Amino acid sequence: ANDVVYYNGSAYIAKTSTTGNLPTSTAHWNNFAAGSGGIWNAGLSLGTAGQVVQVNSGASALEFGTVSSDAVKIAEFSHSGSNVTTIDMDNIFSATYPYYKVIFHDVLHNSTGAQGWIRAIDNNGTTDSSNAYEYALKGRNSDSSDLAGNSTSNNYIQISNDLSSDTEKTSSFIINVFQPYQTSAYKWFAFHNSTYCNNSSGLRYFVGGGAWKNNSTQMRGLTYLGQGTSNIIKQFKAVVYGFKGAY
């Protein structure tokens, strides 16, 4: 009596002296700590990779579960060591989160004067390169000159211009994406960035917004690309965060 044993990942305490009766026999055993054995005994059953120990919904025992949060890192991307024309960030949007923040950093192109563009990846995994985009951006150079760009019908959204190719002059972007998975309105973007132009050695800052003018198709990802094939990407990193809220 009162001995504690482990069985199938849970702990049981003997109610009375007993031999040959499984711990699941409630006539002989009480459940001492359901599911808790896996915390301190690696030989017992565990949850799956990435899960955490949590109290169950009935607040009566411990269990393994998936972390849930109102703000979650969705994905990371990194490229270096070769020149590419596009960076596809597919399967980063879903119905789980209505608002996303996509952060580009350590961005370099292989030549000066490159624009940074984004396009939508639809729910079939196809990047839309039609004239389905509208955007406007405004910027300022550290030499006090103003910068601007806009289009009501284009095959991309411009988020910057004159990106650097110098290792010490990387560019950073923050892109906010709103309700990418709804199918009754356009998909909206708001962005701001800090870049260095090694044409004029000027620091540049841009703010702007854009829309993928598709009100019937879900957007599940983004493609980043440079202006034309001569301005290809040689370095790129990105991280994507999702935020919960009303859709």
Side-chain angles (χ1 to χ4, degrees), residues 7 9 18 32 35-36 53 55 61 68 77 88 100 107 121 144 191 194 229 232 237 246:
Y7 180 74
T18 176
F32 186 68
S36 62
V53 177
V55 177
S68 178
F77 301 87
D88 288 331
Y100 292 82
V107 178
I121 300 176
S144 299
F191 53 86
S194 179
T229 57
I232 54 182
K237 293 180 182 178

Side-chain angles (χ1 to χ4, degrees), residues 20-56:
N21 294 298
L22 288 176
T24 50
S25 171
T26 57
H28 303 89
W29 300 88
N30 282 328
N31 193 308
F32 186 68
S36 62
I39 299 173
W40 58 79
N41 186 333
L44 299 176
S45 63
L46 299 173
T48 59
Q51 288 188 315
V52 297
V53 177
Q54 62 187 20
V55 177
N56 66 8

Side-chain angles (χ1 to χ4, degrees), residues 162-183:
D162 293 340
L163 296 173
S164 175
S165 62
D166 291 347
T167 303
E168 74 277 13
K169 298 176 181 178
T170 58
S171 299
S172 299
F173 308 81
I174 297 177
I175 305 170
N176 300 293
V177 183
F178 305 95
Q179 296 189 327
Y181 240 58
Q182 55 80 35
T183 55

Side-chain angles (χ1 to χ4, degrees), residues 125-186:
T126 302
T127 297
D128 185 2
S129 58
S130 69
N131 289 342
Y133 303 92
E134 185 169 349
Y135 68 86
L137 71 158
K138 187 76 172 178
R140 186 76 168 172
N141 198 315
S142 55
D143 66 4
S144 299
S145 60
D146 289 324
L147 307 160
N150 63 276
S151 177
T152 59
S153 179
N154 214 325
N155 61 11
Y156 58 85
I157 293 174
Q158 180 185 344
I159 59 175
S160 68
N161 69 2
D162 293 340
L163 296 173
S164 175
S165 62
D166 291 347
T167 303
E168 74 277 13
K169 298 176 181 178
T170 58
S171 299
S172 299
F173 308 81
I174 297 177
I175 305 170
N176 300 293
V177 183
F178 305 95
Q179 296 189 327
Y181 240 58
Q182 55 80 35
T183 55
S184 59
Y186 294 169

